[in-house]
Amino acid sequence: MIVAGFGFSTKATAASLADALAQHDVTPDAVATLEAKASALQSFARAKGIQMIAVSDVDAKAQTTVTQSGRSSAEKGMPSVAEATALAAAGPGATLIGPRTISNDRMATCAIAQGPDT
């Protein structure tokens, strides 16, 4: 399974999310974010016709990420919400296809993880 993990501001729009995702040359099977923000990502997933996965803080914090965001570390206690949620949602043994990207408006980040079954 290929999962696009997202971290985003409450000010992020669907265009912000789409821009961050478009910087990856992949069509994900699912999108993921933290449980606290899952409802905000649900309409984006529905519009794309793909599954939405809500990731717990505990599962996200257990992941090893490639990049680090000072804001994410300070606010969420993890170096990259996008990378951590992508890895957690893709399952045990998942790997990042690449580091997170940032939307042009800087309101959303997206990282892509691939599960071992893909």
Side-chain angles (χ1 to χ4, degrees), residues 20-32:
L21 176 59
Q23 295 177 48
H24 297 279
D25 189 24
V26 66
T27 301
D29 300 305
V31 294

Side-chain angles (χ1 to χ4, degrees), residues 10 26 36 56 66 73 93-94 97 112:
T10 56
V26 66
S56 73
V66 174
S73 292
I97 292 175
I112 308 295

Side-chain angles (χ1 to χ4, degrees), residues 71-100:
R71 172 178 265 170
S72 180
S73 292
E75 292 180 14
K76 302 295 181 190
M78 64 192 79
S80 170
V81 171
E83 291 177 7
T85 57
L87 287 165
T95 57
L96 289 171
I97 292 175
R100 67 186 164 96

Side-chain angles (χ1 to χ4, degrees), residues 1 6-7 11 13 20 26-27 33 39 45 47 49 53 55 62-64 70 82 90 95 100 105 111 116:
M1 176 185 327
F6 285 93
K11 297 176 184 176
T13 63
V26 66
T27 301
T33 197
S39 62
I53 301 171
V55 175
Q63 306 304 313
T64 301
T95 57
R100 67 186 164 96
D105 65 6

Side-chain angles (χ1 to χ4, degrees), residues 6-8 12-22 40-41 44 103 107-110:
F6 285 93
F8 53 94
T13 63
S16 304
L17 299 168
D19 179 46
L21 176 59
L41 191 59
F44 180 76
S103 62
M107 294 292 135
T109 60
C110 178

